[in-house]
């Protein structure tokens, strides 16, 4: 798996608003997609995943949407809270866990 | 606790030195991945091992090397350290069809 190191784009939202973080993936053969949350000084943590046979999957306050036509993935966080402030990475892989690729990450900043 | 254990958590060393970072994967996972993350950067893939054998190589410097032992733990060796090697080093493990599980990382500071 590879990723490209870039200065992170930042999304600022008001506490209580909904957040939408977007990710464009590269490999049309990717079958499995994951969103990770990374808080400062910690390792990335699994949030939610989705397989390519689905368009939408919901978790607790989070929803992942997959648009295979345009190779786009999004993470929606409902009623954003201060504890949601972190860097969010999308990742794609094939069904065998090969070719695991991370997106560049988006920093979510929750404003009081 | 993710199940992936990395030691040490923090490491401070001088330029030119050599260090070894250690990772124990989640129980049952055969693949181990090493990533480097510099300040405010994304995750740079370094190298992957599967069941003791090197499986894939990323942007890993020649000064860096890794191995995976029969008990599946892995070590990342960083030598001739430079200031720019200061970063968080993450280990992750996985099994096919499952996502990565990351350790909490080793913060390396080269002074």
């Amino acid at each position: 798996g590879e990723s490209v190191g870039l200065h992170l784009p930042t999304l600022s939202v008001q506490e209580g608003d909904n957040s939408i973080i977007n990710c464009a993936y590269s490999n049309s053969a990717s079958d499995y997609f994951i969103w990770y949350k990374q808080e400062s000084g910690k390792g990335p943590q699994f949030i939610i995943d989705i397989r390519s046979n689905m368009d939408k999957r919901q978790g607790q306050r989070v929803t992942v949407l997959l648009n295979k036509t345009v190779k786009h993935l999004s993470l929606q966080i409902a009623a954003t809270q201060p504890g949601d402030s972190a860097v969010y990475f999308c990742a794609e892989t094939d069904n065998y866990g090969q070719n695991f690729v991370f997106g560049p990450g988006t920093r979510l900043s929750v404003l009081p | 606790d993710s199940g992936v254990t990395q030691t040490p958590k923090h490491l401070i060393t001088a330029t030119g030195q050599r260090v070894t970072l250690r990772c124990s994967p989640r129980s049952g996972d055969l693949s181990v991945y090493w990533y480097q993350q510099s300040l405010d950067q994304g995750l740079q893939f370094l190298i992957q091992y599967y069941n003791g054998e090197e499986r894939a190589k990323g942007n890993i410097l020649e000064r860096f090397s890794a191995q995976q032992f029969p008990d599946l733990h892995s070590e990342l060796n960083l030598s001739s350290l430079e200031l720019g090697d200061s970063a968080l080093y993450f280990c992750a493990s996985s099994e096919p069809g499952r996502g990565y599980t990351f350790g909490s990382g080793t913060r390396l500071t080269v002074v």
Side-chain angles (χ1 to χ4, degrees):
Chain A
E2 301 181 6
S3 68
V4 178
L6 299 169
H7 290 292
L8 299 173
T10 298
L11 174 67
S12 297
V13 298
Q14 291 291 138
E15 181 178 353
D17 286 352
N18 296 334
S19 303
I20 300 176
I21 301 171
N22 296 303
C23 180
Y25 65 92
S26 55
N27 187 356
S28 57
S30 290
D31 183 67
Y32 181 50
F33 306 87
I34 308 165
W35 280 100
Y36 287 91
K37 172 185 180 183
Q38 187 180 23
E39 295 175 278
S40 181
K42 297 183 179 179
Q45 291 182 293
F46 173 93
I47 303 174
I48 192 168
D49 60 0
I50 188 169
R51 294 207 176 272
S52 61
N53 61 351
M54 301 174 70
D55 298 321
K56 179 179 179 179
R57 190 159 188 232
Q58 288 185 292
Q60 191 176 25
R61 281 202 308 119
V62 294
T63 301
V64 54
L65 298 177
L66 175 63
N67 185 330
K68 295 181 287 293
T69 303
V70 295
K71 293 191 284 188
H72 184 266
L73 195 65
S74 68
L75 177 69
Q76 300 178 1
I77 304 173
T80 312
Q81 302 170 359
D84 295 327
S85 293
V87 175
Y88 291 81
F89 293 96
C90 67
E92 58 176 304
T93 183
D94 61 27
N95 197 36
Y96 301 96
Q98 300 300 311
N99 302 313
F100 208 101
V101 178
F102 283 92
T106 297
R107 182 180 301 282
L108 177 64
S109 179
V110 181
L111 307 173
Chain B
D1 182 10
S2 68
V4 178
T5 304
Q6 288 189 250
T7 56
K9 292 194 182 304
H10 302 276
L11 199 50
I12 301 175
T13 190
T15 55
Q17 296 297 303
R18 171 190 168 95
V19 297
T20 297
L21 312 183
R22 183 188 168 101
C23 170
S24 293
R26 188 177 49 180
S27 179
D29 287 354
L30 301 179
S31 281
V32 169
Y33 307 79
W34 286 98
Y35 283 83
Q36 180 193 56
Q37 187 177 42
S38 300
L39 183 64
D40 224 25
Q41 298 284 302
L43 293 158
Q44 292 279 357
F45 169 68
L46 296 177
I47 197 163
Q48 176 200 355
Y49 279 84
Y50 179 83
N51 202 22
E53 294 191 359
E54 183 183 302
R55 177 64 66 92
K57 227 171 187 177
N59 299 322
I60 187 166
L61 300 172
E62 285 190 12
R63 301 183 285 110
F64 296 0
S65 65
Q67 54 185 329
Q68 186 180 26
F69 296 88
D71 67 352
L72 300 178
H73 92 270
S74 179
E75 293 182 352
L76 179 67
N77 302 297
L78 314 177
S79 61
S80 303
L81 285 167
E82 302 175 357
L83 296 177
D85 297 327
S86 295
L88 275 165
Y89 290 84
F90 289 105
C91 167
S93 72
S94 77
E95 267 299 285
R98 298 166 70 184
Y100 282 17
T101 298
F102 283 86
S104 54
T106 294
R107 181 176 293 280
L108 174 67
T109 302
V110 182
V111 297

